[in-house]
Amino acid sequence: KDIDELNKPFLPVASGEMSKRAAWVAVIASGAMGPILVKRNFPNLLFKLYSFGLFLGGIYSVPPIRTKKNPVLAGLTIATVRGFLLNFGVYYAVKDALGVAFEWSPKVSFIARFMTAFATVIAVTKDLPDIEGDKAFQIETFATKIGVKRIAQGASLCLLANYVHAVATGLFSPPGTFNMIP
């Protein structure tokens, strides 16, 4: 039995809606077309960020590395892609589409920091519902090592700290730092 049949039986392959062969074809086609589209339509920096994200996604899931097997490496991989690369990349792409030069600003730094912290919590808590299958397949996660309750409590505290920091940033930043107009 496959781990997804225990942890996520509703997914297309686990439920039998999609064959493994069809899934591989979809993944390979997307993996080939994505970089081509980004290379043709976006600045070179976004292509490099996209390629780095694609690389991280590959080493997260595909043997022999599979960073998802180690809770620290999995967390770092997810936080990097969902937190920093995604948010910075979208911001950069929008600036480019508007013809506005990119520059680091308190706004960019804030959203990159806030979302990286948020994505780190996602990375740690995403395994909470999967504990049964992870234990059965000897996948080491923070939830299997420390327990669901303690991870949920710690994640809640981290989110609270992230939001408190966000509010404090707004309250204590110099006037005009976060004006809505670029």
Side-chain angles (χ1 to χ4, degrees):
K1 203 168 192 181
D2 188 71
I3 191 168
D4 283 337
E5 291 175 26
L6 280 174
N7 286 349
K8 296 176 175 71
F10 52 85
L11 291 177
V13 175
S15 69
E17 289 179 50
M18 178 185 250
S19 70
K20 284 187 179 183
R21 185 180 191 289
W24 274 108
V25 168
V27 167
I28 291 168
S30 298
M33 289 303 299
I36 292 168
L37 291 171
V38 173
K39 183 71 173 169
R40 286 188 180 174
N41 296 301
F42 294 97
N44 196 43
L45 176 62
L46 283 180
F47 176 71
K48 289 176 182 177
L49 292 173
Y50 181 89
S51 298
F52 183 54
L54 188 62
F55 168 76
L56 290 175
I59 65 169
Y60 176 81
S61 299
V62 180
I65 298 173
R66 290 192 90 186
T67 62
K68 74 191 247 176
K69 285 190 168 190
N70 178 295
V72 173
L73 293 177
L76 287 171
T77 304
I78 292 167
T80 300
V81 174
R82 283 189 177 175
F84 180 76
L85 290 179
L86 177 65
N87 291 284
F88 173 77
V90 168
Y91 183 81
Y92 188 90
V94 169
K95 287 287 221 178
D96 181 69
L98 295 172
V100 178
F102 174 81
E103 61 182 56
W104 279 104
S105 70
K107 295 174 204 174
V108 178
S109 298
F110 172 81
I111 196 67
R113 188 219 44 86
F114 181 86
M115 290 309 299
T116 300
F118 196 87
T120 302
V121 172
I122 291 171
V124 172
T125 59
K126 73 172 190 54
D127 295 316
L128 296 183
D130 300 339
I131 196 161
E132 180 185 331
D134 290 344
K135 282 182 177 179
F137 283 82
Q138 298 169 346
I139 303 291
E140 190 176 282
T141 66
F142 286 121
T144 60
K145 289 177 75 173
I146 300 169
V148 171
K149 183 177 179 180
R150 288 179 66 196
I151 292 297
Q153 290 170 335
S156 297
L157 288 173
C158 288
L159 283 178
L160 177 63
N162 198 31
Y163 279 98
V164 167
H165 186 269
V167 171
T169 300
L171 290 174
F172 298 114
S173 293
T177 301
F178 292 101
N179 284 351
M180 294 297 291
I181 300 173

